[in-house]
Amino acid sequence: MRVLRLLPFKPGVVGLLGVLFLAACSGGDQASGPPAGGMPAPAVTVVTVQAEALPVAAELPGRTAAYLIAELRPQVTGIVEQRLFDEGAEVKAGDVLYRIDPAAYQATYDSARAQLARAEANLELARLKEARQADLVERELVSRQVHDEAVAERKQAQADVAAARAAVNAAKIDLDFTAVKAPIDGRIGRSSVTPGALVTANQANALATVRQLDPIYVDLTQSSTELLRLRRALDAGRLQRLTDDTVPVTLSFEDGSEYAMPGALAFSEVAVDETTGSVTLRAVFPNPRGELLPGMYVRARLAQAMQDDAIRVPHAAVSHDPRGNALVMIVDAEDKVEARVVQLSQSLGDSWVVSSGLSAGERVIVAGLQRIRPGATVQAEESGAAAAPAPASN
């Protein structure tokens, strides 16, 4: 068994310990007490949204296509003597691009002309004979049968002339086909043959291809579901039809840059593609500088209707929850933050167009989102408002 020994009582030591204990307690209470003043409410920047009339635009993918395409194929058989163009150059309709050896076709043409001359001479002889026989019949010196035979010979000679003239025309056409000409204005591609190559009439392989690129087509695809939704909104009166017959279209390249010149919608396909479930729309764009080339991937924006009570908010005001729902933070009448789920219909410039979830006059937070949470009280300042002047010092 252990025996505790008590230290001798010293009044000075006990008094010092008491003072230290009270000081410690006093300091601890002061450190854990409330601050002299509360933290101010965080400041945020808001935008008061308003209803306005905005176009309902669709952003659609598409590819460019030549306005006109002409594949050059020989109409006669022969050896290519000359190629009279530079690959990739601009050509005009009627320009001679290839020359095929014309010797055989020139000989055929000359022979046909000779046959025509012979037929015309025989026709003249038949006419004279018919005239003589007609005179003899009137004087009853020959039988009418002889005269009828002369008439038949004259008609046969006329038919021979017509056939010979047709042969001359056919030979002339073949001779002209030895000069392969550009059927349209445009830019010609690479040549598939060189001088000395044998080409045949109506062969499968084209000698070259001419494409007209100004103007140029842009073929767009739109989902049939989106098109049906748009038509139902128009029928229900939620959207207004465009009154202008010309639908403007703007274009952006694959890198996001904008094409400088606007185009116009040319037509909309009347059938849905069974493999993709989409409808093809075709727009026409001017292309004077040749920036658009056939086969380029582009994105086009075209207005399809008007929404009278549309609301838009800046891109910076919209975030998304884990489920992918679009969210905006608004400031209510009591300056408290509220999270609001909204539906977005399209992007227009630097703003989102909100189809539902917001009303005109509500204040949407666009800056200061990192310092707030739903339910917190904030100090809201309208975006673009001038700063209040500082008070003058005495």
Side-chain angles (χ1 to χ4, degrees):
M1 182 176 179
R2 303 181 64 180
V3 180
L4 298 176
R5 296 182 61 188
L6 298 176
L7 295 174
F9 179 78
K10 295 183 180 181
V13 174
V14 175
L16 178 61
L17 293 174
V19 172
L20 294 175
F21 178 77
L22 291 176
C25 291
S26 175
D29 293 342
Q30 185 176 1
S32 61
M39 294 292 292
V44 296
T45 304
V46 298
V47 169
T48 302
V49 296
Q50 301 295 337
E52 56 183 319
L54 292 175
V56 178
E59 186 169 335
L60 306 176
R63 289 196 180 273
T64 55
Y67 191 76
L68 294 176
I69 301 178
E71 293 184 340
L72 303 177
R73 289 184 173 83
Q75 302 297 302
V76 293
T77 299
I79 302 296
V80 177
E81 285 190 335
Q82 291 178 294
R83 191 194 78 189
L84 304 173
F85 66 91
D86 294 327
E87 294 173 321
E90 293 285 341
V91 297
K92 297 293 184 181
D95 289 351
V96 177
L97 304 177
Y98 294 93
R99 286 196 184 277
I100 299 173
D101 185 7
Y105 300 99
Q106 183 68 52
T108 302
Y109 174 67
D110 294 340
S111 175
R113 291 186 62 183
Q115 293 294 332
L116 175 60
R118 176 181 293 178
E120 290 174 342
N122 290 336
L123 174 60
E124 184 64 22
L125 182 61
R127 284 174 177 169
L128 294 175
K129 183 177 180 181
E130 180 187 4
R132 286 195 300 271
Q133 295 296 336
D135 181 59
L136 293 176
V137 167
E138 289 181 358
R139 289 187 291 173
E140 298 183 352
L141 297 178
V142 296
S143 67
R144 182 164 296 275
Q145 180 180 358
V146 175
H147 176 261
D148 292 342
E149 291 176 352
V151 172
E153 290 178 1
R154 188 261 305 168
K155 291 181 178 180
Q156 184 175 355
Q158 286 179 329
D160 291 341
V161 169
R165 186 172 288 115
V168 169
N169 291 336
K172 183 65 168 59
I173 290 173
D174 286 343
L175 181 60
D176 290 341
F177 278 156
T178 60
V180 181
K181 300 178 181 179
I184 59 173
D185 296 346
R187 182 175 297 179
I188 191 167
R190 64 183 181 87
S191 174
S192 64
V193 297
T194 61
L198 174 64
V199 294
T200 58
N202 302 314
Q203 64 184 30
N205 295 330
L207 303 180
T209 302
V210 180
R211 296 177 175 87
Q212 183 176 336
L213 305 182
D214 184 24
I216 193 169
Y217 284 132
V218 176
D219 292 332
L220 311 171
T221 54
Q222 184 175 28
S223 167
S224 59
T225 304
E226 295 178 1
L227 190 60
L228 182 61
R229 187 185 302 117
L230 174 66
R231 291 182 175 177
R232 286 175 176 172
L234 290 169
D235 294 340
R238 296 192 301 270
L239 300 177
Q240 303 298 322
R241 297 182 184 275
L242 295 174
T243 57
D244 193 357
D245 293 336
T246 302
V247 179
V249 186
T250 59
L251 206 64
S252 60
F253 293 104
E254 195 170 3
D255 61 359
S257 61
E258 297 289 334
Y259 183 61
M261 306 184 73
L265 188 65
F267 83 97
S268 176
E269 187 59 81
V270 296
V272 177
D273 190 324
E274 297 179 358
T275 59
T276 61
S278 60
V279 178
T280 300
L281 295 84
R282 170 164 281 185
V284 182
F285 281 80
N287 190 30
R289 295 185 293 179
E291 293 181 77
L292 299 175
L293 299 177
M296 293 179 66
Y297 176 81
V298 293
R299 296 195 68 84
R301 176 182 292 274
L302 66 156
Q304 296 179 302
M306 289 293 296
Q307 184 175 354
D308 293 333
D309 56 350
I311 292 176
R312 56 178 175 175
V313 296
H315 286 161
V318 180
S319 60
H320 291 81
D321 64 13
R323 295 183 178 181
N325 297 318
L327 294 175
V328 296
M329 295 293 185
I330 67 170
V331 179
D332 61 17
E334 299 177 354
D335 289 336
K336 292 186 180 297
V337 177
E338 177 188 344
R340 184 76 61 82
V341 177
V342 295
Q343 297 293 328
L344 306 178
S345 60
Q346 61 174 321
S347 177
L348 189 62
D350 59 353
S351 302
W352 286 108
V353 177
V354 179
S355 58
S356 64
L358 281 179
S359 301
E362 291 190 304
R363 296 180 294 173
V364 177
I365 300 175
V366 296
L369 293 167
Q370 300 84 355
R371 302 188 298 272
I372 62 171
R373 54 183 172 78
T377 302
V378 294
Q379 296 180 4
E381 179 181 357
E382 189 72 22
S383 175
S393 57
N394 295 328

